Amino acid sequence: MINVIEVPPGMEAEAERVREVYVAYFRQQKGFVGSTFYRSLEGSAGSGQRYINIVVWDSEASYSAVVNLGFGNAEGLNADGMKVLGKGFPEPIQVSPGRFEIIAQ
């Protein structure tokens, strides 16, 4: 799972805090391998910040088991009541989640 996170100026600390909440939750889930968080080096003053969060699971099945119901409701709530698919970030932070597979290394 790769999330692109667009954060308005002044909300960087909140975005980083919310990401840590997600990672703490995912660490408790079966199949979670790890997460790497990147902050863009580009940007200009006042334009906010862009982050990339890469979350690795041992399989599509493990990922789907955690996200489960989050695919089917606007709030992104899974069976544990956790907002998944980036829905736990407050507005106006924008999260664009995507699933990718390795095709070459």
Side-chain angles (χ1 to χ4, degrees):
M1 173 60 94
I2 299 175
N3 294 296
V4 177
I5 306 167
E6 300 284 347
V7 181
M11 294 193 74
E12 296 87 357
E14 178 66 3
E16 292 171 19
R17 183 196 68 74
V18 171
R19 185 264 178 180
E20 286 301 317
V21 169
Y22 272 110
V23 171
Y25 171 76
F26 290 151
R27 281 188 184 120
Q28 299 172 27
Q29 307 308 310
K30 182 179 186 236
F32 176 74
V33 174
S35 175
T36 304
F37 201 35
Y38 299 86
R39 181 177 48 226
S40 175
L41 298 176
E42 285 80 33
S44 59
S47 67
Q49 186 61 258
R50 175 180 285 171
Y51 296 89
I52 302 289
N53 191 38
I54 299 176
V55 183
V56 179
W57 296 87
D58 67 358
S59 67
E60 175 84 20
S62 292
Y63 164 78
S64 293
V66 172
V67 175
N68 55 49
L69 301 176
F71 288 115
N73 63 74
E75 296 81 27
L77 293 172
N78 70 3
D80 292 339
M82 180 72 169
K83 289 185 176 186
V84 293
L85 302 171
K87 304 275 177 118
F89 286 86
E91 292 287 337
I93 294 173
Q94 296 179 357
V95 180
S96 300
R99 295 178 294 162
F100 296 81
E101 64 181 345
I102 297 170
I103 60 169
Q105 285 187 303

